[in-house]
Amino acid sequence: MESQLAFNPTPASSFTAEQKEYLKGFFDGLSQRGLVPFAGHTASGQITNNPASGSPNMAAEEFYFNTPVSDLCREERWKFEENPLDIWDKLLAHANEDKAPAQDDLFRFKFHGLFYVAPAQDSFMVRLRLPGAILSAHQMRGLARLATEYGPGRADLTTRGNLQIRSLRPRNIVHVLNAIQALGMSSRGSGADNIRNITASPITGIDLAELYDVAPLAAGLGHYIFNSRDLYGLPRKFNIAFDNGGAISVLADTNDIGFVAVRVSDGKSVPHGIYFRVLLCGITGHRQFATDCGLLLRPDQTVAVAAAMVRVFREHGDRTDRKKARLKHLLDRWGVDKFLAETEKRLAFPLIRFLASDCEPRHRIDRAGHIGVHAQTQSGMYYIGISVPVGHLPVEQMLALAEVADRYGNGEIRLTVWQNLVIPHITGKHLEAAKADILAAGLSFDAGTVLSGTVACTGSQGCRFAASDTKAHAVILANLLDNAFKILEPVNLHVTGCANSCAQHYVGDIGLMGVKVGGEEGYQVVLGGGSDQDQGLARELFPAVKFSDLPPRINNLFSAYTQRTMAGETFLSFTRRHGIEELKAFCQPEEHS
């Protein structure tokens, strides 16, 4: 048996000439001392022993989220080289040296909520995270102290129901982060490629018309993100909103994911009750609203579904091209069905497909509901919506609002996506005193229909991308219109400094985007945008107008509106009823003098 298994080499006479040549080269090679056998890769990925046809690198190329490292864009390579969450030592070093870091670390600092805003300002800005856009009077006072000691003596409210403090010197950034944490707050993940502030209907839980109190859902998702390290460092930024189905919008259709409460009453295929529809891929900078993806979720499923969807995006979003890295682009490549299938793989429960048309229509939105005095669902209680023009909130007003919230409410302050705020839970007997203290602080709850609906991004005073001083110009235009005209219906003026559209100019009744006109500050002007029940992208009226020429044109347009409007017609309806050439003509005084 052993003799049958013994090695019996093939006689040399049986080798072909080619095999003989190969063996001669092989044994000649072994006779050379120190020779290392070659193994490399061909262009097609095969392993070869021929140095002339392959790369000597025997190791397979590293991948980062399914992307070859060599294909990563600049920002993704920075994240690959060093996780931005692990740079606390660098924050300390730059604070001690009182200097801003190099470009790669400037990007990483944003993961901690720190933005170096040069050349607009030679300083940092810190942006907070307020899940559900709710903070306490105690926290407001603490932030006022920060703004006094380290900042410019004010805070800025944002279009994500959030708050920012500017003009921070590098030497103070660690002090500020520590002070924020001591207030029970955080700024982690508020910038760069992360899930931005989770927004919720600003009067949720107190809304007479709401279907479901979404504050616990927003808070739950916010805490889940904060404690899930793998949900930082997405391909690009990501926005999520919860809409309670009630009286005030949270602009859910402008988010990457929008959860909107609905009622199902037929009870045929699912039990009747309150559920959530899921909207996907809102990105107004690309002129796209989020659309219903066909899902129906129980309230307790929303946070899990959001986490699963974000992880699908994290793993498969484009990391080679920043311009194609939002969720919209992943669904453009895959389609909704594949995205939902990948989401479902990560869930321990099935997703329910259910037609939106089989749900009851959403409650009509009150466009002025975030301003003024309104009754709550709790008997004898009221909330006051307070106008904060373009979101500028000086320290004195921060302290005054904290006092109103503590003295007359339950110590709670809620921010809105309209750069305003709400103080809830005020009893009827304290209502007049609360109103008087708000007015004494220089604030208003009846600011005029344009100013109270005006939204403006940071602008050139604090952002290197902005082409114009948006906040100053927005206040000038709003005051001009409010002083000249008495308009009963709200008018939303959205003023943004660049094409990134942080102020979402395409969804405003009037939208302005900063541009340079002959070296001067100017704007592209668009009209007729809206969201939710008024959903529609604004149309371009003028591609570029110097700001100095803009007030008279807008004044003439409103003059034409007041003279030509039909009974009960809003400014939005008026602009949509007329063609662009007609509207241009209205901007000229001779057309309606």
Side-chain angles (χ1 to χ4, degrees):
M1 188 70 175
E2 288 183 355
S3 64
Q4 292 177 349
L5 295 176
F7 175 64
N8 184 21
T10 304
S13 59
S14 66
F15 286 115
T16 66
E18 182 179 3
Q19 288 172 325
K20 291 178 182 179
E21 183 66 22
Y22 173 85
L23 289 173
K24 181 179 184 300
F26 176 78
F27 287 108
D28 286 346
L30 290 180
S31 68
Q32 300 178 26
R33 295 176 59 86
L35 179 66
V36 178
F38 177 84
H41 294 84
T42 67
S44 63
Q46 293 177 307
I47 299 176
T48 178
N49 68 333
N50 185 354
S53 63
S55 165
N57 180 13
M58 296 175 62
E61 181 171 8
E62 288 187 274
F63 279 71
Y64 184 67
F65 293 106
N66 302 305
T67 304
V69 169
S70 60
D71 292 341
L72 294 175
C73 66
R74 180 185 61 175
E75 290 81 1
E76 292 299 328
R77 183 174 288 275
W78 288 339
K79 289 186 285 187
F80 169 75
E81 292 169 348
E82 184 174 20
N83 191 316
L85 298 179
D86 297 332
I87 61 165
W88 185 252
D89 57 334
K90 290 186 175 181
L91 293 173
L92 292 170
H94 284 87
N96 288 332
E97 297 174 16
D98 194 26
K99 70 175 185 179
Q103 191 176 26
D104 56 344
D105 283 331
L106 282 178
F107 174 76
R108 296 185 184 103
F109 274 33
K110 293 178 183 179
F111 281 64
H112 299 264
L114 294 168
F115 299 75
Y116 188 60
V117 294
Q121 296 173 344
D122 184 20
S123 60
F124 281 93
M125 174 268 284
V126 65
R127 178 187 296 154
L128 301 180
R129 293 189 71 89
L130 304 175
I134 299 175
L135 71 162
S136 69
H138 167 70
Q139 290 170 331
M140 182 68 90
R141 290 190 183 95
L143 295 175
R145 288 193 296 271
L146 286 181
T148 300
E149 185 172 357
Y150 302 117
R154 75 160 197 273
D156 293 306
L157 308 186
T158 79
T159 56
R160 288 210 62 78
N162 207 347
L163 193 147
Q164 300 176 164
I165 298 175
R166 311 187 74 85
S167 301
L168 307 176
R169 300 302 310 157
R171 63 177 174 270
N172 293 323
I173 58 177
V174 172
H175 295 309
V176 169
L177 294 182
N178 287 337
I180 289 170
Q181 186 172 0
L183 289 170
M185 308 176 80
S186 176
S187 60
R188 184 189 299 172
S190 62
D193 302 338
N194 294 296
I195 304 169
R196 302 301 175 83
N197 198 47
I198 309 298
T199 58
S201 300
I203 57 170
T204 190
I206 61 176
D207 184 351
L208 289 166
E210 84 174 353
L211 297 179
Y212 194 90
D213 181 2
V214 295
L217 303 181
L221 181 57
H223 291 305
Y224 182 85
I225 294 166
F226 186 80
N227 291 290
S228 299
R229 185 179 175 89
D230 68 312
L231 293 184
Y232 294 82
L234 306 178
R236 283 298 299 273
K237 71 175 183 178
F238 204 94
N239 294 325
I240 303 175
F242 290 87
D243 189 310
N244 70 348
I248 298 182
S249 169
V250 72
L251 299 183
D253 56 2
T254 66
N255 286 256
D256 293 283
I257 304 176
F259 296 102
V260 181
V262 294
R263 186 188 302 278
V264 175
S265 56
D266 63 15
K268 294 177 183 178
S269 56
V270 298
H272 64 81
I274 305 303
Y275 296 85
F276 281 83
R277 305 296 305 180
V278 183
L279 313 182
L280 294 178
C281 299
I283 176 170
T284 53
H286 288 257
R287 302 172 61 92
Q288 178 171 309
F289 288 102
T291 55
D292 190 289
C293 70
L295 295 185
L296 190 71
L297 303 180
R298 297 197 315 264
D300 64 300
Q301 295 174 328
T302 55
V303 171
V305 169
M309 287 182 167
V310 171
R311 284 192 169 91
V312 172
F313 173 62
R314 170 182 176 264
E315 294 167 19
H316 299 285
D318 194 321
R319 294 181 182 266
T320 66
D321 185 346
R322 302 284 286 178
K323 295 180 179 179
K324 297 180 180 179
R326 293 292 297 272
L327 179 66
K328 158 192 161 52
H329 301 102
L330 177 60
L331 266 71
D332 284 347
R333 295 200 314 269
W334 277 10
V336 173
D337 289 342
K338 181 177 180 180
F339 179 75
L340 296 183
E342 289 296 321
T343 298
E344 199 162 16
K345 290 178 183 178
R346 290 159 176 79
L347 296 168
F349 54 87
L351 293 174
I352 299 173
R353 273 69 172 179
F354 195 85
L355 293 176
S357 58
D358 289 338
C359 302
E360 292 185 7
R362 191 199 190 285
H363 185 278
R364 184 161 183 82
I365 292 168
D366 179 3
R367 293 183 63 190
H370 58 96
I371 295 293
V373 179
H374 302 268
Q376 296 182 186
T377 188
Q378 296 83 4
S379 178
M381 306 291 284
Y382 299 84
Y383 73 86
I384 302 178
I386 300 167
S387 174
V388 181
V390 296
H392 277 330
L393 193 61
V395 162
E396 296 77 14
Q397 292 180 341
M398 295 173 72
L399 295 173
L401 290 169
E403 186 65 21
V404 170
D406 261 346
R407 180 177 296 182
Y408 307 116
N410 69 342
E412 190 174 85
I413 299 170
R414 303 183 179 196
L415 308 186
T416 81
V417 296
W418 308 105
Q419 294 180 313
N420 293 325
L421 56 84
V422 168
I423 297 181
H425 303 297
I426 300 174
T427 62
K429 68 178 183 179
H430 291 142
L431 195 55
E432 292 306 315
K435 289 162 63 177
D437 285 1
I438 291 168
L439 293 173
L443 292 163
S444 173
F445 41 85
D446 186 23
T449 57
V450 178
L451 186 60
S452 62
T454 294
V455 172
C457 73
T458 299
S460 57
Q461 293 299 309
C463 177
R464 63 189 176 92
F465 298 112
S468 55
D469 188 355
T470 56
K471 289 188 180 290
H473 294 161
V475 170
I476 290 171
L477 286 175
N479 284 330
L480 167 73
L481 295 174
D482 283 335
N483 291 332
F485 303 98
K486 292 297 180 184
I487 302 169
L488 299 179
E489 296 292 332
V491 173
N492 291 331
L493 169 64
H494 289 231
V495 187
T496 199
C498 71
N500 289 325
S501 194
C502 292
Q504 300 177 322
H505 66 297
Y506 278 118
V507 301
D509 295 323
I510 307 170
L512 307 179
M513 184 186 75
V515 295
K516 291 297 183 183
V517 185
E520 296 184 32
E521 292 184 336
Y523 291 92
Q524 176 202 50
V525 182
V526 296
L527 293 178
S531 61
D532 301 305
Q533 64 203 15
D534 298 318
Q535 189 181 99
L537 293 167
R539 298 175 294 163
E540 183 181 86
L541 182 66
F542 299 113
V545 179
K546 293 179 182 178
F547 178 72
S548 57
D549 295 333
L550 189 55
R553 296 195 190 194
I554 296 297
N555 183 83
N556 292 338
L557 177 61
F558 270 74
S559 180
Y561 164 57
T562 57
Q563 294 176 25
R564 298 168 182 262
T565 184
M566 298 188 296
E569 186 177 39
T570 65
F571 180 76
L572 176 62
S573 297
F574 176 80
T575 58
R576 289 180 174 179
R577 178 165 63 88
H578 291 88
I580 288 297
E581 294 305 316
E582 289 179 288
L583 294 169
K584 285 182 179 179
F586 292 155
C587 293
Q588 307 304 319
E590 64 272 13
E591 292 296 327
H592 55 88
S593 58

